[in-house]
Structure formats: structure tokens, C-alpha cells
Amino acid sequence: MTSDFSTRAHDALNNPQLRANFRRAMDGLMTKRAAQFEDKDNWHALRARGAAIKARALARLPDLLEEFEQKAIANGINVHWAETTADANRIVLEILTAHGAKKVIKGKSMVSEEMHLNAHLEAHGIKAVESDLGEYIIQLAGEAPSHIVMPCIHKNKGEIAQLFTDNIENQPYTEDVDALTAAARQVLRREFASADAGLSGANFLVAETGSLVLIENEGNGRLSTTLPPLHIAVAGIEKLVEKLDDVAPLLALLPRSATGQAITTYVNMISSPRKAGEKDGPRQVHLVLLDNGRSRVYADEQLRDTLRCIRCGACMNHCPVYSRVGGHTYGSVYPGPIGKILTPQLAGLDCAGDLPHASTLCNACVEVCPVQIPIADILVRLRTEAAEPSTSPAVKGAGSGHSAVESAVWKGWQAMYAHPAAYKVGTKALSVVGNLIPAAAPLLKQWTSVRSKPKFAAKTLHELAREKGYDHE
Amino acid sequence: MSEARANILARLRAAPRLQPPERPQWQAPGFNDRLDRFRVMIEAVHGEVHLVSADTWRAHLRKVLAEKNVARVLAAPHLGLDWDDMVAYDAPVEDFKDQLVSGIDAAVTTTRGAIAETGSLVVVPDMDEPRLASLLPPIHVALLNAGDIADNLAQIMEKQGWAAAMPTNLLLISGPSKTADIEQTLAYGVHGPKELIVLVLQ
Amino acid sequence: MPAHVTPPARMPKNVYYFGTCLVDLFFPDAGLAGMELLKRQGIRVVFPQGQSCCGQPAFNSGHRSEAREVARAQLDAFPEDWPIVVPSGSCAGMMRVHYPDLFKGDRDEERAKAFAGRVYELSWFLVHVLGLDTKLVDKGEKVTVTWHGSCHSMREMGVVDEPKRLIRALSNVTLVENPREKECCGFGGTFAVRQPEVSAAMVADKIAAIGQTGASRVVSGDCGCLMNIGGALDKAGKPTRPQHLAEFLLERCHDQ
């Protein structure tokens, strides 16, 4: 997972089609979400409830994982634990191999993206077919999702029409969305019918009942979890909630925040494999619980809040940076504000240290987060972890952003700004000679590429206040 | 038990213990006219609602199916439908898959109730009405008793005691299958039914 | 979550003014205008000469200890239990929202908390403490302006409508709202130099949206945003003039 945000941002910003696609899409999503939460009192009460549910579940996480496991096993679900994505891939592969599976049909799952599961399965001779329309499209294109809810939001009709013509037999070029959708339905029906296993994620895991809750609009999630004889779900350990009735407020938050829908077309609650006498459903259900650095995030009281995330994507929809550069610029599975705090924690600041800085800290994400994750505070915390080598690093790669020059600059800044006498001399000097600094000077060069040079005033406010006779104590 | 399990739980238990916060008050909305709200909401997502009486719904259904040029209908025998080309889902999916995937025009299922707030049907598949019945055929007809519409999800969960006995599969269905993955343009029937018809029995 | 700000228990006789480092060097007239507005409401305005910067630049860059030492100098400079009025939502947000966290476990933790509780954003103070929105008398020519809300003002200090209430109280001023008013202008402190291209794209969109309002001035409560937006307007040769709210109000209502 390399991270060179600036280089990719440069490319994205110079792609007018991409920018227009994102801008239009994000504007639409913001408008739809706003219409869902017009009643401000209800919104505040609801998100406070949602945040508390997730915080509560996290506070009790180890107990809830055990409770869930016990219930799920009693229901007939096989529960597996994976410390790393490599472990999770190995477990999935073992299950598939044991069933002689050659083809897996997939519902949308960000954790499977995090695992790079498709590549792993392909390497072992198992075909993984994405069935969510957006995921199917980017699989055809050989790309990664650019948004966690709408994976092919960066593509327009023309690009998709061409992909279909190139990849689907006897598919004429058409930009008609209904026709494209119908073509995908036909191809994927065959894939569903012939798949040996279905793979999905999970939106919530309910400890009280041992149930998996999955939400979706297309029905491909239901098909993936029902039609093939084997269902494997992969989920992060943070997906737990305590009680079934905790799902109600979270469901009132998730689709409305994500796409501005009152609810998704399907809410699919799975509590067991096919029982005796039942005519469909998988004969085996397996759940792989993935850690992959989450328990490390959990170890820090502040960073733990990252794990509240319910993956609605509202933070990226409202992010002025994301809406301009798109998801691929982040170079990580999770883009946008949540990606900026999650990726450096999972992959390490040494791998993704530029992400926490790719933010103006405008707090637009914080304002809409349905579970009140203090994203901006965590961004600043991660900047601090990167800049200051710590003796007990809470984050992998802490201190990797340390720069002797930068530290010296801030020490110098402190020397001036923490001492009134030095400040007085320093500001006086700047007001006299500051305007002589050339526009091409380091730092100022970037600033003046699209802006005029700021002008130092002849007199500081300190001086003017004294002259105007304002008391100073 | 696996080493991974032990390691993960050990790491989580070694982390600072925080007091679990209480759940602050939040009340999901209620409605004076639940049927009206249900109807408005499900119609807004392309669902079709027919108000029918308990005596005449079968005749009405025949008319609707005929209008939609439906040939083969999937329905549980106990529903007592009168339709020429009718099949029951009475074999395991392994033996029924081909027909189910492409040979049926419409499926009729019961529901366990509905939610007014979001316009959602509560569907609990069982031996007579398996899970794929409401998913694979292009038209899904759902029978709903008007008296079974609750205000909201929290209410129906509690009233029907879901947590005490979760079935293999429990579904909320709010409209036909849809996608907006291509340029946020809505398209219906991407994987599941293209049409959802709700007969509300009054 | 924005800070929950409530007015002081009783009408203060004295207020402190924290000018901010950016205003000090680049926009002293805006700073002075804020002090004049307060003074003309019969309040004694004290400008401690020992003040400098709230510490936000270092704090947001991850240099916490440097930020803390600069912040501590502010704790020293504002010793009395008087409100501290700030003509910037961003600096006010730093002091009200982040000081308690910055000083957590520090010897000055209690002092920092008390200090944070005394911090007010200027337009909020003018409206909720002094009721200025009901007292303004517009003496200016007809003018059309648009408002730019700063991110921290809105989302840390909870200041959303107050500035617009003040502007709307002016009879000769037409306020045309920019539909993208709440979108960040792309300044973000060091962001503007760390991600110059993204920042440039953001400010380009911002000035385009401002241009579409047809306003001759863009008024804001934060000089960081004004430096960014104003600099971009100027570089692009656009006629719209940036102005701090305090300067604008003073200009409209008082003979200079």
C-alpha cells in the first residue's frame, strides 16, 4: 500500500471528467442526505444513540465477541478468527478447497477488499466474481473501488458501456442504463446459478442472537448468501452490537447517511445455515472475524473511536478534498476522511503518513458522521504521532514523519511566540521587511501560484491598540 | 480454540477498560395512519400497493397477474390461488434451481407484517415459502394484513419478539431490487424482482 | 460537535480582546474594528500586549509541546476572569475546544479549562451578549455582499447564523447567499502548502461560487479564509473585495 497522495491528486485534478463525475455525485448525495435529516432534534438524538451503541459495544468488545461466537455456533454457524489478512485469506481458501469450490460469487464487502481476497483466490485457481453492479464494473476494468458505498462512482456511462461491449459476449454498445443493468443481470444470473460458494461481508453482528445483518439494494447480497451451497462471510471484529434492537437506530442512520435512502431495499438478517426441511439457503455458513490491526487501534482510548465506523461513506461524500480528487487518490482501500484515519492505523504511519495531512480539518466529516467519530481530532493525533517519536507508540510507524528541519522550525516558532518580548521584536521586523520576501520563496511559492502574496501591514494590531489607547491589562 | 482467537481476545482485554455509556433516549416516529405512511413510502421506492378485502384478494390478484402477462406463478399451495400455470417450491433448491432462476414469472408470498416509517415488508421465509421465492422471479407479490403494520422497526421487533427466536433468515424488503451504481441513475430489477406488488388485506 | 457556548452570567464591564497572530501582522484594521465595535457598546476592551498566537498552527501540525508552550503564554496574558473575545472562529475554536485537551495532565490543566470557558467568537458575542443585531443603524450606500462561513466558526464554535443576522440588520445591504457557503475554502493552515494543488482547486471553486452571487464583497469572520479567498480573487483579477465582518459593520454604522 504505497501512499503518494500529492502525485495522484495532481493527476485527478487534471482529469476534468473525473472531477465532474465526483462533483456531481457528491452534490447529489449531500442533498439527499440533508433531506433525510431535516428534523435536527431527531438527528441529534438519533446520532447520539448510534454513537453510544457503538461505543458501548466497543467497551464490551471482547465479551461480546465471545457471546456472539457462542450464539452463532449454537445456531450452526462456523466462526473463525484471523489476526491478519493473510490468515483470513488462508481460512477462506481452506474452506473453499474443502468443498472443492472453483467459483465464488461475491456480495459487496470492503473487508474482502482489505484482504485482496480476489487476487488470493485467483492465484489458487478459484474464480471470484463480483456481483454488486458497481463492483462488477470495476472488476471488469481491473480497478479498485473509489468509494466504499458506490465503488464505480468515478466512471461514467460511456466508459461502462465500452467495458460491457468489450467483456460481455454479443453485447452491443449502449449507454442506456436499463439496458446495461439488464445485461449485467443476465450474465450474473448464470454466475450465481453456477457458483460453488457465496462470499459476503456483514454490516452488523448481533451478539444477543448470533445474527449477521447485511444491507443492500440490489439483491445480489441475498443471492450470494442464499443460492450457493456454501456461504462465507468476512467481517471486522468491530462490527459487533450488543442487542438486536441496537440495529434499529443504526439502520435509521446508515442508509440515510450513505445515500439518502430511508432504508435499503433489503435488510438481510441471517442467523443459521439451512435447517432440516428448509428448501434453500447454504448448507454451511462460515464467518471469518478479522483483526488486521483493529485490536491495536482498540488499545488506545482516543483512537478506539475509529472503530465505531459503520461504513456509510457520508464523510467522503461531504469531504471537500475527496470530492475533488476521488477515491483512488488515497491509494488505500478506505478513501476519504475515514480512510485518512483508518489506513495509517492499519497499515502504519510509515506507509500512509501523508494521509492525515491531506485534510484542511474543516470538520465537514465530523458534522455528518452518524456515530460521532471525532475524525478531525484523530487526524491531528495521527499527525502528532508521526511527528513526535514516542517511547510507547500507539500507532505503527509512529515518528516516521519526524523531520529535524520541521522540528527546528517549530522550536523557533515557539521561541518567538511563547515570549512576548521576542514576539514584539519578531513581528516588528516582519512588518518592516516581510514584504521583501520574494513570492518565489519556499512555501510562499505554492501559495502564490494561485493567490497574491499576503501583505504585511505597516503596523501590527499590538501597535495600533497601543496608539488608540486600549488598555493592556 | 484457535491461537488467533486467544491472541485477539488477549489484546482486546489488555486494552484500557472504558465504562460502557448508557444509550441516550431516542424515539422512532409513530404515525396516526400507518397504512397511509407505509403506502407513501413504499410507492416512493417503486413498490405497487393494492388495497383489497380478505374475501376478494384472490380474484384481484388474478386480474393483476393477467394484466402483467404473467404465465407461471410460484406460490405455496395453502394460499389457495386459482391459477392455471402454478408451481410450488416443494423441492430443495438444488433440484429446483433451473426453473427458479429463469422459469417463473411471479412469486406470491405472505409477510409477517410491515413497517410504516420506512415502507418495509417483514418477510420470514419458511419451508413453504423459501428464501429465494421473493428474490429470483421478476415479480414479487406480497400479501400483507393491514393490521400488521407497525410504526417502526424497533416497535415490530419488540412486539413480535424477534430477539428471542431469530429464524434462519429474516428480511426487510422495501421496494423492488434496484441499483444506482451507473451515474446515480436508478434502474430496477438488477438482481432481484423488477416489480414488487403489495396486496394489503383489509 | 460544536462547543456549547452560553453567555456570561451577567453583562461584563470588561472584555479581553485576542487579536490573533494573522490579524496582528496582516489585517490589523479588521482587528481594530472588532475592538471599536465592542467599545462603542460601552464595554472596556483590554488588549493584553503579551498575547501572540493561540498555538493552532503547531497543534494542527502535530507539534503539541510547542503549541502548548505558546498557549501557556496566552494563559498568562489573560489573567482576569473576563470574557475573551476573538475575531476568528478558528482561533476561538482552538482555545475553547482544544485547550482543555492540549493541557490534559499538565500543571495548567485547570487554568486552561477556565480560560477555554471564557472564549467567545466576536459575532456570537455581539449578537448573544450585546444584542447588536437589534441596534445596528446602516449609514452606508446600497451594496450587495455574500457571506463565507469559516469551517471552525461553524463546526467548532457553533456560529452559523449570527454573522448573517448582523448583516441582515443593515437596511442598505443585500445579502446573497452562496449555495456553497459552508464548503471549506481550502486554506487549512499548512494544508495550503502541503497539498497546494488540492488547495488551489478548492479556492478556485470557492471564488467561482462567490462570483456567481454577483456580490461586490465577500464578508467573513476569519482572516485565514479571507487571506486565501482574497488572495485568489486578487490573483484572478476578480472585482469582489474580501472584508472581515467587523470592519464591514464598523464601516456601515459609524463615521470613520
Side-chain angles (χ1 to χ4, degrees), chain A residues 49-122:
Chain A
R49 177 86 168 207
I53 285 168
K54 289 296 290 188
R56 212 182 141 78
L58 288 172
R60 299 196 51 223
L61 188 59
D63 297 345
L64 292 184
L65 280 164
E66 286 187 317
E67 182 186 344
F68 173 83
E69 180 187 42
Q70 193 194 343
K71 293 280 165 51
I73 290 172
N75 293 346
I77 296 173
N78 299 284
V79 180
H80 309 263
W81 302 68
E83 290 193 77
T84 63
T85 56
D87 289 349
N89 281 326
R90 182 182 45 77
I91 292 166
V92 172
L93 183 65
E94 277 171 12
I95 300 166
L96 292 172
T97 309
H99 285 77
K102 288 282 157 215
K103 179 155 74 183
V104 182
I105 191 90
K106 285 183 70 197
K108 191 168 155 30
S109 154
M110 287 311 294
V111 165
S112 77
E113 296 283 348
E114 191 179 326
M115 292 159 61
H116 301 288
L117 175 65
N118 295 4
H120 183 75
L121 295 181
E122 302 278 342

Side-chain angles (χ1 to χ4, degrees), chain A residues 236-312:
Chain A
I237 52 172
E238 81 283 16
K239 291 290 167 200
L240 267 288
V241 297
E242 241 178 324
K243 304 274 182 197
L244 187 66
D245 67 16
D246 284 337
V247 171
L250 293 175
L251 272 182
L253 285 164
L254 176 46
R256 292 161 86 192
S257 298
T259 53
Q261 292 174 268
I263 193 165
T264 48
T265 303
Y266 301 114
V267 176
N268 182 8
M269 302 190 187
I270 297 169
S271 302
S272 85
R274 188 191 310 190
K275 293 187 188 118
E278 290 177 345
K279 301 194 178 65
D280 58 16
R283 295 194 184 273
Q284 281 191 23
V285 176
H286 293 260
L287 171 69
V288 182
L289 291 166
L290 176 65
D291 182 341
N292 190 32
R294 288 164 173 79
S295 57
R296 181 175 189 152
V297 176
Y298 186 83
D300 184 275
E301 286 182 36
Q302 183 187 25
L303 300 176
R304 184 182 294 185
D305 289 345
T306 311
L307 300 176
R308 280 190 217 158
C309 179
I310 56 174
R311 305 285 189 267
C312 69

